[in-house]
Amino acid sequence: MTATHSDTNANTQTTTTDNAAMTANTATQNTATATDSPAPLPQPSRRLLDAIFDYQPTTAAINALTPSKAQEKLTTARADYLDKRERLRQAREELDRIEKTVSAAEAQEQQASQSWRRAFLEGAGKQGKEVRDQQKQAGQWRIEAEQKREMIELLKPQVEWLQIETQVAREQFQRSLKATREVISHHSLLAEAEKLFEGLDSDHFRAALKGLFQRITDDLCNNVVYMAQYNLDVSSEPGEAIFSHLNNEQTRAVRHEIRKRQYAALGELVWHLMPKTQTEQPDTLKGITPLACEAGKGELGNTIRRRRRQLELEATMEYVPGKTQH
């Protein structure tokens, strides 16, 4: 019994003191899997990067980051998240193992206690060898259970602390992933569109497009219902001649509407030409399914609440991973 307890105690101490060395290889391997062969980053021309698009929404990430910088931030965030959740996984598994050991020790203690009591009564109060052996075993199992409960009380705050650390790292990873997807998607669209149009017989395409855009212009200018808002009768289908009857503000509004419809028609054409098969995200832009030991969404509260709880836990912990000096 004593030797078993000492071995267990030593193993538990190793887990509760520092998991960094045990998890470094796992985190590195997980990160390497996603980044061994990264796809070449898109490189659109400056002409398109500096263009002002009216109908392409941009985000803070698109405005602030290049694809390479976004990818760099994502790689760092992924590695940090994988490292912290691996620490959590190991600590949680160790806590579960110790809790099972406590249950087993308590059951053994109860069985030994029942055995010596029965032997004691059957022997009419005599304290024979069987009684003494069973009493000794019950005491050993009681000590074993108490020691394991002490380990649980030491490890529980660390597990909760690691849950918070992992949740913070996961949220940072998710933000970085979203930003990287936005940046790479935007730059890829511009770069691929450039390559697409470089390979076209652009003169013929522009001529055909000019005809489409003129039809859209005439269609709106001759739209009886639309032009009624300006108190104009276009039943004679005057086409662009109608602009002579509009003031500057009305002309701007109509031309803006024409442009929107031209863009929509071009987008509709592209949409019908696009393959309808789904395209898989590159490994570097895929999310990571959380482990069962991680906290659920919203479970740990907001940033302020989590930080307050972390400080409370640190005040009770004999060892804080990454902070306590050896």
Side-chain angles (χ1 to χ4, degrees), residues 5-75:
H5 167 70
S6 299
D7 291 342
T8 305
N9 191 19
N11 290 337
T12 306
Q13 183 63 29
T14 300
T15 301
T16 55
T17 52
D18 196 1
N19 294 317
M22 302 169 64
T23 60
N25 290 337
T26 303
T28 302
Q29 290 167 1
N30 286 335
T31 304
T33 300
T35 58
D36 275 344
S37 302
L41 296 175
Q43 293 292 336
S45 68
R46 196 74 252 168
R47 177 172 67 94
L48 273 184
L49 287 174
D50 293 338
I52 298 175
F53 294 98
D54 293 329
Y55 300 104
Q56 284 196 39
T58 57
T59 63
I62 290 174
N63 292 328
L65 299 173
T66 63
S68 58
K69 189 64 177 177
Q71 191 74 69
E72 179 184 330
K73 288 178 174 290
L74 176 60
T75 299

Side-chain angles (χ1 to χ4, degrees), residues 102-325:
V102 169
S103 297
E106 289 173 340
Q108 292 289 345
E109 177 196 354
Q110 184 178 11
Q111 183 178 344
S113 295
Q114 290 174 346
S115 295
W116 79 255
R117 283 179 169 81
R118 185 171 58 251
F120 177 74
L121 293 173
E122 288 176 352
K126 292 181 180 179
Q127 299 181 38
K129 184 176 184 302
E130 182 181 359
V131 172
R132 292 193 300 273
D133 287 345
Q134 291 295 335
Q135 284 180 321
K136 183 178 179 181
Q137 287 185 26
Q140 289 175 328
W141 284 117
R142 187 180 307 111
I143 293 171
E144 181 78 6
E146 289 173 358
Q147 289 175 333
K148 292 297 187 296
R149 281 193 287 268
E150 184 179 357
M151 291 177 185
I152 289 171
E153 291 307 308
L154 284 171
L155 193 52
K156 268 186 174 179
Q158 189 181 97
V159 170
E160 186 180 350
W161 186 89
L162 286 170
Q163 267 195 326
I164 297 173
E165 284 281 292
T166 301
Q167 182 65 22
V168 171
R170 177 173 180 79
E171 289 174 359
Q172 180 57 48
F173 164 70
Q174 290 174 325
R175 286 192 294 269
S176 296
L177 180 62
K178 181 176 182 291
T180 304
R181 284 174 174 171
E182 291 171 350
V183 173
I184 290 182
S185 173
H186 178 69
H187 282 245
S188 294
L189 176 64
L190 301 186
E192 294 302 321
E194 278 191 308
K195 288 195 295 185
L196 179 65
F197 276 84
E198 284 172 2
L200 288 174
D201 186 343
S202 57
D203 288 341
H204 288 84
F205 182 75
R206 284 201 304 271
L209 200 60
K210 183 178 179 181
L212 170 65
F213 283 2
Q214 186 61 54
R215 292 200 308 274
I216 291 171
T217 301
D218 292 342
D219 181 70
L220 185 66
C221 289
N222 296 331
N223 188 310
V224 174
V225 176
Y226 180 83
M227 286 299 175
Q229 66 183 302
Y230 300 114
N231 296 317
L232 295 174
D233 180 9
V234 293
S235 58
S236 61
E237 299 187 349
E240 290 187 81
I242 199 66
F243 286 116
S244 63
H245 299 283
L246 298 173
N247 60 35
N248 290 339
E249 183 180 350
Q250 292 170 338
T251 297
R252 282 195 298 272
V254 173
R255 292 203 179 279
H256 180 71
E257 180 62 26
I258 289 172
R259 187 167 68 254
K260 283 173 60 177
R261 296 188 182 201
Q262 289 171 338
Y263 289 169
L266 186 56
E268 186 179 39
L269 175 62
V270 173
W271 179 260
H272 283 291
L273 290 172
M274 286 174 57
K276 297 303 183 282
T277 54
Q278 292 291 332
T279 303
E280 284 288 325
Q281 287 274 19
D283 286 344
T284 52
L285 296 181
K286 287 183 178 179
I288 300 175
T289 304
L291 299 176
C293 58
E294 295 183 51
K297 186 176 181 180
E299 182 180 338
L300 301 176
N302 59 28
T303 302
I304 296 175
R305 180 181 169 187
R306 288 185 307 208
R307 184 56 189 150
R308 185 185 300 123
R309 181 55 181 161
Q310 270 194 307
L311 293 174
E312 291 173 354
L313 291 167
E314 289 174 9
T316 67
M317 293 164 65
E318 294 185 17
Y319 176 80
V320 181
K323 293 188 177 184
T324 301
Q325 297 296 321

